[in-house]
Amino acid sequence: MRKLSKGVFLILALVLQLQNYSAQVIEPNHTFNVELGLPNGFTNEPFKNVMQGLVNLSTYYQYDFKNQFTAGAGIRYGYFAINEFKVPKPVYGGMHSAGAFIKLGWEKFISDRFAIDLGVKVGYSKHYFDTDRNDSAGLNPIQINTIYIDPTLGLVLTVDEVSSYRLFFSYANYGFGFKPNMIGLETLGGYDPAEFNKVTGFLIVGFGYTFYFKSK
């Protein structure tokens, strides 16, 4: 949390500093976006403790309408590794997650340098639990297919008339529970059975880059 606060403060400080420079007002039309974040398990306690988020990468095309509404489509990939200190027996591996999505949102430039991007990604995702125990049992990988919803907030800081960077926050709801057998175990122990049925969600914090193809 302390590191996150420092990151937000740095972004705001840069915004204030850049207001002293003249800049061309960006009125986006077609954009290409890349986002790289760190996912953290949320709501489902067993998943939150056992699975460590290492990366969440997405890339997408977006079209900005004149009324600030946006629409786009893209693909994503994420990976969670098993925390070997949180399982009763040695298990090595993790969960690969890949899918495609559409994004609907609203983006508003508050000034020449700063914009706010609010949106929601809705898509289809495949999750592969790839572990040594599943492999030895001939079950590798265990696959789960889900529809996911990912509300997102982006704080955008432009570099010039064709590019910008952003600090973003999102909460991805992936619509599946987490069971011990997914990673090759019979039980995890110490959890209320109801916890395993809770929908798995990820809180993602990261940075992104946008390239503006054309101004309106």
Side-chain angles (χ1 to χ4, degrees):
M1 186 62 68
R2 185 174 299 176
K3 291 183 178 179
L4 178 59
S5 299
K6 289 182 178 179
V8 174
F9 176 78
L10 178 59
I11 291 292
L12 295 177
L14 288 173
V15 170
L16 293 175
Q17 181 179 0
L18 289 171
Q19 298 310 308
N20 298 324
Y21 297 90
S22 60
Q24 178 178 339
V25 176
I26 296 179
E27 294 183 303
N29 195 340
H30 303 275
T31 65
F32 173 75
N33 306 268
V34 178
E35 295 177 344
L36 179 64
L38 180 66
N40 295 278
F42 206 65
T43 67
N44 187 301
E45 195 68 21
F47 186 93
K48 177 181 177 181
N49 293 335
V50 174
M51 309 299 291
Q52 291 182 316
L54 297 184
V55 65
N56 189 86
L57 175 66
S58 64
T59 179
Y60 58 95
Y61 160 83
Q62 180 169 286
Y63 180 81
D64 291 52
F65 297 94
K66 291 183 179 180
N67 57 4
Q68 281 84 51
F69 286 102
T70 64
I75 56 176
R76 60 163 295 276
Y77 169 78
Y79 183 71
F80 280 77
I82 295 174
N83 185 342
E84 59 183 291
F85 302 106
K86 296 294 184 178
V87 290
K89 297 180 181 179
V91 184
Y92 302 98
M95 184 190 78
H96 299 271
S97 179
F101 61 86
I102 60 172
K103 180 189 176 189
L104 301 176
W106 177 85
E107 184 177 50
K108 173 67 175 180
F109 272 83
I110 307 302
S111 70
D112 295 348
R113 291 287 188 177
F114 180 67
I116 294 177
D117 178 22
L118 295 172
V120 59
K121 298 172 184 174
V122 179
Y124 178 79
S125 189
K126 291 180 176 288
H127 311 279
Y128 300 89
F129 288 86
D130 186 5
T131 72
D132 58 338
R133 285 184 173 270
N134 286 341
D135 187 45
S136 62
L139 300 175
N140 191 51
I142 290 179
Q143 178 179 323
I144 299 174
N145 302 326
T146 64
I147 300 296
Y148 75 94
I149 301 175
D150 185 3
T152 303
L153 165 65
L155 305 177
V156 183
L157 182 66
T158 64
V159 178
D160 50 38
E161 65 272 14
V162 297
S163 59
S164 69
Y165 293 94
R166 71 181 58 205
L167 172 67
F168 75 90
F169 309 86
S170 70
Y171 174 70
N173 187 320
Y174 280 82
F176 68 90
F178 176 67
K179 305 295 191 301
N181 69 299
M182 293 177 177
I183 59 175
L185 294 177
E186 295 180 358
T187 181
L188 287 175
Y191 296 101
D192 184 332
E195 287 291 332
F196 293 99
N197 295 321
K198 289 184 178 180
V199 173
T200 300
F202 313 147
L203 179 64
I204 306 171
V205 180
F207 292 92
Y209 169 78
T210 296
F211 178 80
Y212 302 94
F213 287 105
K214 181 182 179 181
S215 296
K216 295 176 182 177

